[in-house]
Amino acid sequence: AQTVTQSQPEMSVQEAETVTLSCTYDTSENNYYLFWYKQPPSRQMILVIRQEAYKQQNATENRFSVNFQKAAKSFSLKISDSQLGDTAMYFCAFMTWGAQKLVFGQGTRLTINP
Amino acid sequence: EAGVTQFPSHSVIEKGQTVTLRCDPISGHDNLYWYRRVMGKEIKFLLHFVKESKQDESGMPNNRFLAERTGGTYSTLKVQPAELEDSGVYFCASSQEVAGGRSTDTQYFGPGTRLTVL
């Protein structure tokens, strides 16, 4: 069975700083997808970024980028120039290619301080 | 375009009572999912509908939980009778039909229903 681990329950940084959230996963599959979801205090969870395992290039979305290390089964999220609106719970998630269910980590509560 | 909506946003019931949660997916999305987050733990998959058919219900905890998606539109998740351990946030998500090949569509989540069983 696949598992996802987020080792940082809470993090706090100052506005404009760069922050990295860690995520590791365990799987015997070779083809899969990885996601970072964000759930702000208003509760709607939204997709931040996704990575296909067969792609070697790390995904980026504006200020958000990932460091995908397939051999190490690591998928960290870097937020550059953090903003107050980045305050949220961040979930790392995994999906086997061909399956449709997401496997989530425990979440990291990120607070951006003014 | 309206997102995934869930009703109610919060429900408080007594142990042994019945509660029905509703999810309206994004219009045109054939795939509908239910997930649950128990306090302080990870979000866990419950089941997956493709249109009105249950594609995968491997995450349903027991037979006190019944999910339906009549007509392939909205879905309901009934808990009967509710137990204390059923408390948590129930999320619904939807996605478009998955194309062939090495692709999967993004799952769009609703705001969740917070269920409290006393």
mmCIF file of all heavy atoms in Angstrom, chain A residues 11-57:
data_model
loop_
_atom_site.group_PDB
_atom_site.id
_atom_site.type_symbol
_atom_site.label_atom_id
_atom_site.label_comp_id
_atom_site.label_asym_id
_atom_site.label_seq_id
_atom_site.Cartn_x
_atom_site.Cartn_y
_atom_site.Cartn_z
ATOM 1 N N MET A 11 4.517 24.967 10.350
ATOM 2 C CA MET A 11 5.646 25.819 9.991
ATOM 3 C C MET A 11 5.178 27.263 10.000
ATOM 4 O O MET A 11 3.996 27.537 9.742
ATOM 5 C CB MET A 11 6.191 25.461 8.608
ATOM 6 C CG MET A 11 6.798 24.078 8.507
ATOM 7 S SD MET A 11 7.606 23.826 6.935
ATOM 8 C CE MET A 11 9.056 24.851 7.115
ATOM 9 N N SER A 12 6.125 28.147 10.264
ATOM 10 C CA SER A 12 5.796 29.565 10.309
ATOM 11 C C SER A 12 6.980 30.355 9.773
ATOM 12 O O SER A 12 8.111 30.123 10.193
ATOM 13 C CB SER A 12 5.490 29.972 11.750
ATOM 14 O OG SER A 12 5.209 31.345 11.843
ATOM 15 N N VAL A 13 6.707 31.262 8.831
ATOM 16 C CA VAL A 13 7.768 32.099 8.265
ATOM 17 C C VAL A 13 7.252 33.525 8.120
ATOM 18 O O VAL A 13 6.044 33.778 8.181
ATOM 19 C CB VAL A 13 8.250 31.585 6.889
ATOM 20 C CG1 VAL A 13 8.822 30.182 7.001
ATOM 21 C CG2 VAL A 13 7.137 31.642 5.865
ATOM 22 N N GLN A 14 8.195 34.434 7.884
ATOM 23 C CA GLN A 14 7.827 35.831 7.662
ATOM 24 C C GLN A 14 7.478 36.034 6.193
ATOM 25 O O GLN A 14 8.000 35.351 5.292
ATOM 26 C CB GLN A 14 8.987 36.757 8.038
ATOM 27 C CG GLN A 14 9.359 36.726 9.519
ATOM 28 C CD GLN A 14 8.209 37.153 10.400
ATOM 29 O OE1 GLN A 14 7.722 36.375 11.221
ATOM 30 N NE2 GLN A 14 7.769 38.394 10.229
ATOM 31 N N GLU A 15 6.610 36.996 5.988
ATOM 32 C CA GLU A 15 6.227 37.365 4.629
ATOM 33 C C GLU A 15 7.476 37.669 3.806
ATOM 34 O O GLU A 15 8.439 38.256 4.312
ATOM 35 C CB GLU A 15 5.328 38.597 4.699
ATOM 36 C CG GLU A 15 4.610 38.957 3.420
ATOM 37 C CD GLU A 15 3.656 40.128 3.619
ATOM 38 O OE1 GLU A 15 3.678 40.746 4.713
ATOM 39 O OE2 GLU A 15 2.886 40.425 2.699
ATOM 40 N N ALA A 16 7.423 37.232 2.536
ATOM 41 C CA ALA A 16 8.495 37.437 1.548
ATOM 42 C C ALA A 16 9.623 36.404 1.662
ATOM 43 O O ALA A 16 10.480 36.340 0.776
ATOM 44 C CB ALA A 16 9.091 38.825 1.600
ATOM 45 N N GLU A 17 9.637 35.615 2.715
ATOM 46 C CA GLU A 17 10.648 34.572 2.831
ATOM 47 C C GLU A 17 10.295 33.386 1.931
ATOM 48 O O GLU A 17 9.165 33.254 1.444
ATOM 49 C CB GLU A 17 10.787 34.102 4.281
ATOM 50 C CG GLU A 17 11.425 35.139 5.195
ATOM 51 C CD GLU A 17 11.620 34.611 6.605
ATOM 52 O OE1 GLU A 17 11.015 33.571 6.956
ATOM 53 O OE2 GLU A 17 12.368 35.265 7.366
ATOM 54 N N THR A 18 11.273 32.531 1.751
ATOM 55 C CA THR A 18 11.065 31.291 1.019
ATOM 56 C C THR A 18 10.914 30.150 2.018
ATOM 57 O O THR A 18 11.629 30.101 3.023
ATOM 58 C CB THR A 18 12.254 31.009 0.075
ATOM 59 O OG1 THR A 18 12.280 32.012 -0.945
ATOM 60 C CG2 THR A 18 12.130 29.634 -0.564
ATOM 61 N N VAL A 19 9.973 29.268 1.752
ATOM 62 C CA VAL A 19 9.725 28.154 2.668
ATOM 63 C C VAL A 19 9.604 26.867 1.863
ATOM 64 O O VAL A 19 9.093 26.876 0.741
ATOM 65 C CB VAL A 19 8.451 28.408 3.504
ATOM 66 C CG1 VAL A 19 7.224 28.572 2.628
ATOM 67 C CG2 VAL A 19 8.241 27.303 4.522
ATOM 68 N N THR A 20 10.097 25.791 2.448
ATOM 69 C CA THR A 20 10.037 24.480 1.796
ATOM 70 C C THR A 20 9.308 23.489 2.688
ATOM 71 O O THR A 20 9.678 23.312 3.858
ATOM 72 C CB THR A 20 11.451 23.959 1.476
ATOM 73 O OG1 THR A 20 12.104 24.874 0.581
ATOM 74 C CG2 THR A 20 11.370 22.585 0.822
ATOM 75 N N LEU A 21 8.294 22.869 2.134
ATOM 76 C CA LEU A 21 7.526 21.850 2.844
ATOM 77 C C LEU A 21 7.964 20.478 2.334
ATOM 78 O O LEU A 21 8.054 20.272 1.119
ATOM 79 C CB LEU A 21 6.031 22.035 2.593
ATOM 80 C CG LEU A 21 5.448 23.437 2.824
ATOM 81 C CD1 LEU A 21 3.945 23.422 2.599
ATOM 82 C CD2 LEU A 21 5.790 23.945 4.197
ATOM 83 N N SER A 22 8.191 19.567 3.250
ATOM 84 C CA SER A 22 8.711 18.261 2.843
ATOM 85 C C SER A 22 7.604 17.224 2.723
ATOM 86 O O SER A 22 6.556 17.317 3.381
ATOM 87 C CB SER A 22 9.767 17.787 3.839
ATOM 88 O OG SER A 22 9.171 17.542 5.101
ATOM 89 N N CYS A 23 7.850 16.258 1.862
ATOM 90 C CA CYS A 23 6.912 15.154 1.648
ATOM 91 C C CYS A 23 7.707 13.953 1.153
ATOM 92 O O CYS A 23 8.512 14.090 0.225
ATOM 93 C CB CYS A 23 5.849 15.545 0.627
ATOM 94 S SG CYS A 23 4.754 14.188 0.123
ATOM 95 N N THR A 24 7.502 12.830 1.767
ATOM 96 C CA THR A 24 8.082 11.589 1.263
ATOM 97 C C THR A 24 6.955 10.589 1.081
ATOM 98 O O THR A 24 5.885 10.701 1.696
ATOM 99 C CB THR A 24 9.145 11.011 2.212
ATOM 100 O OG1 THR A 24 8.552 10.787 3.501
ATOM 101 C CG2 THR A 24 10.319 11.954 2.362
ATOM 102 N N TYR A 25 7.184 9.629 0.229
ATOM 103 C CA TYR A 25 6.135 8.644 -0.052
ATOM 104 C C TYR A 25 6.775 7.285 -0.242
ATOM 105 O O TYR A 25 7.982 7.170 -0.441
ATOM 106 C CB TYR A 25 5.332 9.068 -1.293
ATOM 107 C CG TYR A 25 6.180 9.243 -2.526
ATOM 108 C CD1 TYR A 25 6.343 8.215 -3.444
ATOM 109 C CD2 TYR A 25 6.844 10.447 -2.773
ATOM 110 C CE1 TYR A 25 7.133 8.367 -4.556
ATOM 111 C CE2 TYR A 25 7.634 10.613 -3.877
ATOM 112 C CZ TYR A 25 7.784 9.587 -4.774
ATOM 113 O OH TYR A 25 8.581 9.744 -5.886
ATOM 114 N N ASP A 26 5.944 6.292 -0.166
ATOM 115 C CA ASP A 26 6.422 4.924 -0.314
ATOM 116 C C ASP A 26 5.524 4.205 -1.307
ATOM 117 O O ASP A 26 4.299 4.186 -1.135
ATOM 118 C CB ASP A 26 6.421 4.195 1.028
ATOM 119 C CG ASP A 26 7.086 2.834 0.935
ATOM 120 O OD1 ASP A 26 7.934 2.644 0.042
ATOM 121 O OD2 ASP A 26 6.757 1.955 1.760
ATOM 122 N N THR A 27 6.109 3.654 -2.321
ATOM 123 C CA THR A 27 5.356 2.910 -3.316
ATOM 124 C C THR A 27 6.285 1.976 -4.066
ATOM 125 O O THR A 27 7.489 2.245 -4.170
ATOM 126 C CB THR A 27 4.669 3.860 -4.315
ATOM 127 O OG1 THR A 27 3.882 3.095 -5.223
ATOM 128 C CG2 THR A 27 5.682 4.673 -5.108
ATOM 129 N N SER A 28 5.712 0.913 -4.595
ATOM 130 C CA SER A 28 6.467 0.004 -5.451
ATOM 131 C C SER A 28 6.138 0.243 -6.918
ATOM 132 O O SER A 28 6.704 -0.387 -7.801
ATOM 133 C CB SER A 28 6.156 -1.452 -5.081
ATOM 134 O OG SER A 28 4.767 -1.684 -5.206
ATOM 135 N N GLU A 29 5.234 1.185 -7.164
ATOM 136 C CA GLU A 29 4.843 1.507 -8.530
ATOM 137 C C GLU A 29 5.909 2.369 -9.195
ATOM 138 O O GLU A 29 6.673 3.072 -8.529
ATOM 139 C CB GLU A 29 3.518 2.280 -8.525
ATOM 140 C CG GLU A 29 2.359 1.546 -7.875
ATOM 141 C CD GLU A 29 1.852 0.389 -8.712
ATOM 142 O OE1 GLU A 29 2.051 0.429 -9.946
ATOM 143 O OE2 GLU A 29 1.263 -0.542 -8.155
ATOM 144 N N ASN A 30 5.936 2.318 -10.514
ATOM 145 C CA ASN A 30 6.886 3.143 -11.253
ATOM 146 C C ASN A 30 6.215 4.354 -11.895
ATOM 147 O O ASN A 30 6.853 5.378 -12.117
ATOM 148 C CB ASN A 30 7.566 2.304 -12.336
ATOM 149 C CG ASN A 30 8.740 3.026 -12.969
ATOM 150 O OD1 ASN A 30 9.599 3.566 -12.286
ATOM 151 N ND2 ASN A 30 8.757 3.057 -14.292
ATOM 152 N N ASN A 31 4.925 4.212 -12.179
ATOM 153 C CA ASN A 31 4.184 5.302 -12.811
ATOM 154 C C ASN A 31 3.131 5.831 -11.848
ATOM 155 O O ASN A 31 2.274 5.079 -11.382
ATOM 156 C CB ASN A 31 3.506 4.820 -14.095
ATOM 157 C CG ASN A 31 4.531 4.420 -15.143
ATOM 158 O OD1 ASN A 31 5.500 5.134 -15.362
ATOM 159 N ND2 ASN A 31 4.339 3.285 -15.769
ATOM 160 N N TYR A 32 3.211 7.106 -11.578
ATOM 161 C CA TYR A 32 2.279 7.688 -10.626
ATOM 162 C C TYR A 32 2.302 9.200 -10.753
ATOM 163 O O TYR A 32 3.071 9.769 -11.542
ATOM 164 C CB TYR A 32 2.615 7.268 -9.184
ATOM 165 C CG TYR A 32 4.059 7.440 -8.800
ATOM 166 C CD1 TYR A 32 4.527 8.652 -8.288
ATOM 167 C CD2 TYR A 32 4.963 6.390 -8.928
ATOM 168 C CE1 TYR A 32 5.852 8.810 -7.932
ATOM 169 C CE2 TYR A 32 6.299 6.544 -8.569
ATOM 170 C CZ TYR A 32 6.742 7.742 -8.076
ATOM 171 O OH TYR A 32 8.056 7.903 -7.723
ATOM 172 N N TYR A 33 1.443 9.850 -9.967
ATOM 173 C CA TYR A 33 1.346 11.302 -9.957
ATOM 174 C C TYR A 33 1.488 11.778 -8.510
ATOM 175 O O TYR A 33 1.097 11.090 -7.574
ATOM 176 C CB TYR A 33 -0.020 11.760 -10.483
ATOM 177 C CG TYR A 33 -0.382 11.182 -11.823
ATOM 178 C CD1 TYR A 33 -1.084 9.985 -11.910
ATOM 179 C CD2 TYR A 33 -0.034 11.828 -13.005
ATOM 180 C CE1 TYR A 33 -1.418 9.442 -13.128
ATOM 181 C CE2 TYR A 33 -0.376 11.291 -14.232
ATOM 182 C CZ TYR A 33 -1.069 10.099 -14.286
ATOM 183 O OH TYR A 33 -1.389 9.562 -15.497
ATOM 184 N N LEU A 34 2.003 12.968 -8.370
ATOM 185 C CA LEU A 34 2.138 13.593 -7.066
ATOM 186 C C LEU A 34 1.515 14.977 -7.113
ATOM 187 O O LEU A 34 1.592 15.663 -8.141
ATOM 188 C CB LEU A 34 3.618 13.697 -6.662
ATOM 189 C CG LEU A 34 4.312 12.353 -6.404
ATOM 190 C CD1 LEU A 34 5.814 12.496 -6.488
ATOM 191 C CD2 LEU A 34 3.901 11.788 -5.058
ATOM 192 N N PHE A 35 0.909 15.362 -6.012
ATOM 193 C CA PHE A 35 0.179 16.623 -5.965
ATOM 194 C C PHE A 35 0.471 17.348 -4.649
ATOM 195 O O PHE A 35 0.736 16.719 -3.617
ATOM 196 C CB PHE A 35 -1.338 16.373 -6.015
ATOM 197 C CG PHE A 35 -1.809 15.541 -7.167
ATOM 198 C CD1 PHE A 35 -1.773 14.153 -7.096
ATOM 199 C CD2 PHE A 35 -2.323 16.134 -8.308
ATOM 200 C CE1 PHE A 35 -2.216 13.364 -8.154
ATOM 201 C CE2 PHE A 35 -2.772 15.362 -9.366
ATOM 202 C CZ PHE A 35 -2.722 13.979 -9.293
ATOM 203 N N TRP A 36 0.357 18.649 -4.714
ATOM 204 C CA TRP A 36 0.259 19.465 -3.506
ATOM 205 C C TRP A 36 -1.072 20.211 -3.572
ATOM 206 O O TRP A 36 -1.351 20.895 -4.562
ATOM 207 C CB TRP A 36 1.410 20.474 -3.408
ATOM 208 C CG TRP A 36 2.659 19.894 -2.849
ATOM 209 C CD1 TRP A 36 3.741 19.445 -3.531
ATOM 210 C CD2 TRP A 36 2.969 19.699 -1.452
ATOM 211 N NE1 TRP A 36 4.701 18.986 -2.668
ATOM 212 C CE2 TRP A 36 4.250 19.129 -1.395
ATOM 213 C CE3 TRP A 36 2.277 19.961 -0.267
ATOM 214 C CZ2 TRP A 36 4.874 18.801 -0.176
ATOM 215 C CZ3 TRP A 36 2.890 19.639 0.932
ATOM 216 C CH2 TRP A 36 4.165 19.066 0.974
ATOM 217 N N TYR A 37 -1.849 20.021 -2.510
ATOM 218 C CA TYR A 37 -3.112 20.729 -2.368
ATOM 219 C C TYR A 37 -2.985 21.709 -1.213
ATOM 220 O O TYR A 37 -2.267 21.481 -0.250
ATOM 221 C CB TYR A 37 -4.266 19.767 -2.069
ATOM 222 C CG TYR A 37 -4.862 19.095 -3.278
ATOM 223 C CD1 TYR A 37 -4.345 17.896 -3.758
ATOM 224 C CD2 TYR A 37 -5.968 19.640 -3.922
ATOM 225 C CE1 TYR A 37 -4.909 17.268 -4.857
ATOM 226 C CE2 TYR A 37 -6.545 19.019 -5.024
ATOM 227 C CZ TYR A 37 -6.010 17.834 -5.484
ATOM 228 O OH TYR A 37 -6.569 17.217 -6.571
ATOM 229 N N LYS A 38 -3.745 22.799 -1.309
ATOM 230 C CA LYS A 38 -3.730 23.846 -0.292
ATOM 231 C C LYS A 38 -5.153 24.054 0.204
ATOM 232 O O LYS A 38 -6.083 24.136 -0.589
ATOM 233 C CB LYS A 38 -3.190 25.127 -0.941
ATOM 234 C CG LYS A 38 -3.468 26.411 -0.221
ATOM 235 C CD LYS A 38 -2.994 27.579 -1.077
ATOM 236 C CE LYS A 38 -3.345 28.908 -0.459
ATOM 237 N NZ LYS A 38 -2.887 30.040 -1.311
ATOM 238 N N GLN A 39 -5.316 24.116 1.527
ATOM 239 C CA GLN A 39 -6.633 24.381 2.093
ATOM 240 C C GLN A 39 -6.536 25.589 3.001
ATOM 241 O O GLN A 39 -6.130 25.489 4.151
ATOM 242 C CB GLN A 39 -7.159 23.182 2.877
ATOM 243 C CG GLN A 39 -8.589 23.363 3.344
ATOM 244 C CD GLN A 39 -9.090 22.180 4.149
ATOM 245 O OE1 GLN A 39 -8.321 21.438 4.730
ATOM 246 N NE2 GLN A 39 -10.393 21.998 4.182
ATOM 247 N N PRO A 40 -6.935 26.754 2.494
ATOM 248 C CA PRO A 40 -6.916 27.975 3.316
ATOM 249 C C PRO A 40 -7.956 27.875 4.425
ATOM 250 O O PRO A 40 -8.815 26.995 4.395
ATOM 251 C CB PRO A 40 -7.280 29.081 2.310
ATOM 252 C CG PRO A 40 -7.100 28.473 0.971
ATOM 253 C CD PRO A 40 -7.355 27.013 1.135
ATOM 254 N N PRO A 41 -7.898 28.801 5.360
ATOM 255 C CA PRO A 41 -8.861 28.768 6.462
ATOM 256 C C PRO A 41 -10.322 28.764 6.013
ATOM 257 O O PRO A 41 -11.177 28.329 6.734
ATOM 258 C CB PRO A 41 -8.531 30.037 7.248
ATOM 259 C CG PRO A 41 -7.079 30.252 6.989
ATOM 260 C CD PRO A 41 -6.866 29.812 5.574
ATOM 261 N N SER A 42 -10.625 29.228 4.845
ATOM 262 C CA SER A 42 -12.000 29.211 4.335
ATOM 263 C C SER A 42 -12.446 27.826 3.918
ATOM 264 O O SER A 42 -13.593 27.625 3.546
ATOM 265 C CB SER A 42 -12.133 30.161 3.136
ATOM 266 O OG SER A 42 -11.283 29.729 2.087
ATOM 267 N N ARG A 43 -11.552 26.846 3.936
ATOM 268 C CA ARG A 43 -11.799 25.419 3.798
ATOM 269 C C ARG A 43 -11.817 24.827 2.395
ATOM 270 O O ARG A 43 -11.735 23.649 2.265
ATOM 271 C CB ARG A 43 -13.078 25.006 4.525
ATOM 272 C CG ARG A 43 -13.075 25.252 5.996
ATOM 273 C CD ARG A 43 -14.126 24.410 6.669
ATOM 274 N NE ARG A 43 -15.468 24.736 6.196
ATOM 275 C CZ ARG A 43 -16.510 23.922 6.356
ATOM 276 N NH1 ARG A 43 -16.353 22.754 6.910
ATOM 277 N NH2 ARG A 43 -17.691 24.282 5.915
ATOM 278 N N GLN A 44 -11.999 25.597 1.336
ATOM 279 C CA GLN A 44 -11.986 25.000 0.011
ATOM 280 C C GLN A 44 -10.567 24.566 -0.344
ATOM 281 O O GLN A 44 -9.641 25.363 -0.342
ATOM 282 C CB GLN A 44 -12.481 26.011 -1.033
ATOM 283 C CG GLN A 44 -12.839 25.407 -2.351
ATOM 284 C CD GLN A 44 -14.313 25.036 -2.454
ATOM 285 O OE1 GLN A 44 -15.140 25.619 -1.784
ATOM 286 N NE2 GLN A 44 -14.625 24.059 -3.290
ATOM 287 N N MET A 45 -10.406 23.298 -0.640
ATOM 288 C CA MET A 45 -9.086 22.770 -0.972
ATOM 289 C C MET A 45 -8.837 22.925 -2.473
ATOM 290 O O MET A 45 -9.683 22.549 -3.280
ATOM 291 C CB MET A 45 -9.001 21.312 -0.565
ATOM 292 C CG MET A 45 -7.617 20.733 -0.636
ATOM 293 S SD MET A 45 -7.369 19.378 0.522
ATOM 294 C CE MET A 45 -8.684 18.282 0.078
ATOM 295 N N ILE A 46 -7.699 23.446 -2.828
ATOM 296 C CA ILE A 46 -7.396 23.679 -4.239
ATOM 297 C C ILE A 46 -6.035 23.078 -4.587
ATOM 298 O O ILE A 46 -5.153 22.965 -3.740
ATOM 299 C CB ILE A 46 -7.406 25.177 -4.598
ATOM 300 C CG1 ILE A 46 -6.396 25.946 -3.730
ATOM 301 C CG2 ILE A 46 -8.793 25.771 -4.454
ATOM 302 C CD1 ILE A 46 -6.245 27.396 -4.133
ATOM 303 N N LEU A 47 -5.907 22.702 -5.841
ATOM 304 C CA LEU A 47 -4.643 22.136 -6.314
ATOM 305 C C LEU A 47 -3.621 23.244 -6.494
ATOM 306 O O LEU A 47 -3.904 24.263 -7.108
ATOM 307 C CB LEU A 47 -4.864 21.416 -7.647
ATOM 308 C CG LEU A 47 -3.614 20.792 -8.264
ATOM 309 C CD1 LEU A 47 -3.141 19.610 -7.420
ATOM 310 C CD2 LEU A 47 -3.897 20.341 -9.695
ATOM 311 N N VAL A 48 -2.433 23.021 -5.960
ATOM 312 C CA VAL A 48 -1.340 23.980 -6.110
ATOM 313 C C VAL A 48 -0.456 23.589 -7.282
ATOM 314 O O VAL A 48 -0.128 24.406 -8.144
ATOM 315 C CB VAL A 48 -0.491 24.047 -4.821
ATOM 316 C CG1 VAL A 48 0.728 24.945 -5.022
ATOM 317 C CG2 VAL A 48 -1.337 24.523 -3.647
ATOM 318 N N ILE A 49 -0.092 22.315 -7.319
ATOM 319 C CA ILE A 49 0.856 21.874 -8.338
ATOM 320 C C ILE A 49 0.803 20.361 -8.453
ATOM 321 O O ILE A 49 0.450 19.683 -7.481
ATOM 322 C CB ILE A 49 2.281 22.372 -7.969
ATOM 323 C CG1 ILE A 49 3.220 22.384 -9.171
ATOM 324 C CG2 ILE A 49 2.862 21.567 -6.820
ATOM 325 C CD1 ILE A 49 4.485 23.186 -8.928
ATOM 326 N N ARG A 50 1.127 19.839 -9.628
ATOM 327 C CA ARG A 50 1.139 18.392 -9.825
ATOM 328 C C ARG A 50 2.388 18.001 -10.602
ATOM 329 O O ARG A 50 2.931 18.807 -11.365
ATOM 330 C CB ARG A 50 -0.108 17.912 -10.561
ATOM 331 C CG ARG A 50 -0.279 18.521 -11.946
ATOM 332 C CD ARG A 50 -1.539 18.000 -12.624
ATOM 333 N NE ARG A 50 -1.312 16.729 -13.287
ATOM 334 C CZ ARG A 50 -2.288 15.997 -13.814
ATOM 335 N NH1 ARG A 50 -3.531 16.378 -13.714
ATOM 336 N NH2 ARG A 50 -2.012 14.867 -14.432
ATOM 337 N N GLN A 51 2.781 16.753 -10.399
ATOM 338 C CA GLN A 51 3.994 16.245 -11.050
ATOM 339 C C GLN A 51 3.727 14.835 -11.539
ATOM 340 O O GLN A 51 3.235 14.004 -10.770
ATOM 341 C CB GLN A 51 5.158 16.230 -10.042
ATOM 342 C CG GLN A 51 6.441 15.595 -10.533
ATOM 343 C CD GLN A 51 7.305 16.535 -11.338
ATOM 344 O OE1 GLN A 51 7.431 17.711 -11.022
ATOM 345 N NE2 GLN A 51 7.924 16.020 -12.394
ATOM 346 N N GLU A 52 4.038 14.569 -12.803
ATOM 347 C CA GLU A 52 3.977 13.208 -13.304
ATOM 348 C C GLU A 52 5.328 12.538 -13.059
ATOM 349 O O GLU A 52 6.359 13.134 -13.363
ATOM 350 C CB GLU A 52 3.667 13.195 -14.803
ATOM 351 C CG GLU A 52 2.226 13.500 -15.141
ATOM 352 C CD GLU A 52 1.893 14.992 -15.151
ATOM 353 O OE1 GLU A 52 2.772 15.815 -14.851
ATOM 354 O OE2 GLU A 52 0.738 15.326 -15.439
ATOM 355 N N ALA A 53 5.318 11.338 -12.544
ATOM 356 C CA ALA A 53 6.567 10.683 -12.150
ATOM 357 C C ALA A 53 7.492 10.424 -13.324
ATOM 358 O O ALA A 53 8.715 10.351 -13.160
ATOM 359 C CB ALA A 53 6.265 9.377 -11.421
ATOM 360 N N TYR A 54 6.921 10.281 -14.532
ATOM 361 C CA TYR A 54 7.769 9.976 -15.688
ATOM 362 C C TYR A 54 8.486 11.218 -16.213
ATOM 363 O O TYR A 54 9.367 11.119 -17.052
ATOM 364 C CB TYR A 54 6.944 9.335 -16.798
ATOM 365 C CG TYR A 54 5.879 10.209 -17.406
ATOM 366 C CD1 TYR A 54 6.159 11.086 -18.446
ATOM 367 C CD2 TYR A 54 4.574 10.151 -16.942
ATOM 368 C CE1 TYR A 54 5.177 11.884 -19.008
ATOM 369 C CE2 TYR A 54 3.578 10.942 -17.483
ATOM 370 C CZ TYR A 54 3.882 11.802 -18.521
ATOM 371 O OH TYR A 54 2.903 12.588 -19.065
ATOM 372 N N LYS A 55 8.105 12.380 -15.715
ATOM 373 C CA LYS A 55 8.750 13.620 -16.148
ATOM 374 C C LYS A 55 9.921 13.937 -15.216
ATOM 375 O O LYS A 55 9.761 14.014 -14.006
ATOM 376 C CB LYS A 55 7.764 14.785 -16.141
ATOM 377 C CG LYS A 55 6.682 14.676 -17.202
ATOM 378 C CD LYS A 55 5.813 15.919 -17.215
ATOM 379 C CE LYS A 55 4.763 15.833 -18.315
ATOM 380 N NZ LYS A 55 3.870 17.006 -18.320
ATOM 381 N N GLN A 56 11.077 14.137 -15.789
ATOM 382 C CA GLN A 56 12.241 14.443 -14.968
ATOM 383 C C GLN A 56 12.265 15.904 -14.535
ATOM 384 O O GLN A 56 12.814 16.247 -13.495
ATOM 385 C CB GLN A 56 13.517 14.094 -15.733
ATOM 386 C CG GLN A 56 13.678 12.602 -15.980
ATOM 387 C CD GLN A 56 15.017 12.271 -16.626
ATOM 388 O OE1 GLN A 56 15.698 13.154 -17.132
ATOM 389 N NE2 GLN A 56 15.382 11.008 -16.603
ATOM 390 N N GLN A 57 11.668 16.769 -15.351
ATOM 391 C CA GLN A 57 11.687 18.189 -15.028
ATOM 392 C C GLN A 57 10.735 18.485 -13.883
ATOM 393 O O GLN A 57 9.584 18.029 -13.884
ATOM 394 C CB GLN A 57 11.288 19.001 -16.261
ATOM 395 C CG GLN A 57 11.429 20.491 -16.074
ATOM 396 C CD GLN A 57 11.217 21.254 -17.369
ATOM 397 O OE1 GLN A 57 10.862 20.680 -18.394
ATOM 398 N NE2 GLN A 57 11.451 22.550 -17.327
#
